[in-house]
Amino acid sequence: MAETANGGPFPEILESDIFINAIFLSESTPLFLDSAIVATPSRKLSVIGDVSCDPNSEFNPIKIYDTCTTFSKPTVLVDVQNDPPLSVIAIDHLPSLLPRESSEAFSALLLPHLLNVDKRNKDNVWLRAEMLFKEKAATL
């Protein structure tokens, strides 16, 4: 891809609050983030959703965590020395026997909703997600 042709890490990722990694990992995948780059004082990034979720793969482009998360403990904090705190969500529950096919199918289902995030006050998927978030947050 043109965006990653020059290799990484990619400091542009740090300018967003949330980064969703939903790629097919391969040996040609460049490094997206490492411990040094997330220590940047001007980092806005506070949440990473690693849908690809293969932290121990040599091809993992997000070299800042080394364990999958679970539904009961959905985040892991990354050791950064500055604010904001940085959490990774990496729940490994896509079918693992067909990783490429399941990743492509999941991405195809997720992308239309991500493209509607600016309409989240009217989109049923986002409205239900917000309702569920509030319900679960109230239990904390």
Side-chain angles (χ1 to χ4, degrees):
M1 299 181 79
E3 295 89 346
T4 59
N6 294 328
F10 300 103
E12 302 89 343
I13 296 171
L14 303 177
E15 298 170 12
S16 297
D17 297 315
I18 299 172
F19 172 60
I20 306 293
N21 179 46
I23 63 166
F24 174 68
L25 300 178
S26 71
E27 59 188 311
S28 63
T29 303
L31 180 65
F32 291 175
L33 297 170
D34 61 15
S35 296
I37 198 164
V38 298
T40 302
S42 61
R43 171 183 52 82
K44 286 178 51 181
L45 185 66
S46 62
V47 175
I48 297 171
D50 191 3
V51 178
S52 297
C53 191
D54 199 356
N56 299 308
S57 168
E58 63 184 292
F59 308 130
N60 179 18
I62 304 174
K63 303 269 188 208
I64 60 171
Y65 75 104
D66 61 3
T67 186
C68 292
T69 60
T70 64
F71 286 109
S72 60
K73 190 174 184 303
T75 62
V76 62
L77 282 174
V78 177
D79 185 19
V80 292
Q81 302 304 312
N82 52 348
D83 285 331
L86 179 57
S87 296
V88 175
I89 303 165
I91 300 172
D92 186 19
H93 70 282
L94 287 176
S96 60
L97 293 177
L98 301 168
R100 181 176 184 160
E101 292 82 356
S102 62
S103 293
E104 288 172 350
F106 181 77
S107 297
L109 293 170
L110 180 63
L111 183 60
H113 301 293
L114 291 175
L115 294 173
N116 278 338
V117 72
D118 61 332
K119 301 175 187 113
R120 65 188 171 275
N121 293 330
K122 297 177 183 171
D123 183 278
N124 282 334
V125 168
W126 289 105
L127 291 170
R128 288 192 316 268
E130 182 181 22
M131 184 177 69
L132 182 61
F133 170 79
K134 288 179 178 179
E135 175 187 319
K136 297 300 180 181
T139 67
L140 299 177

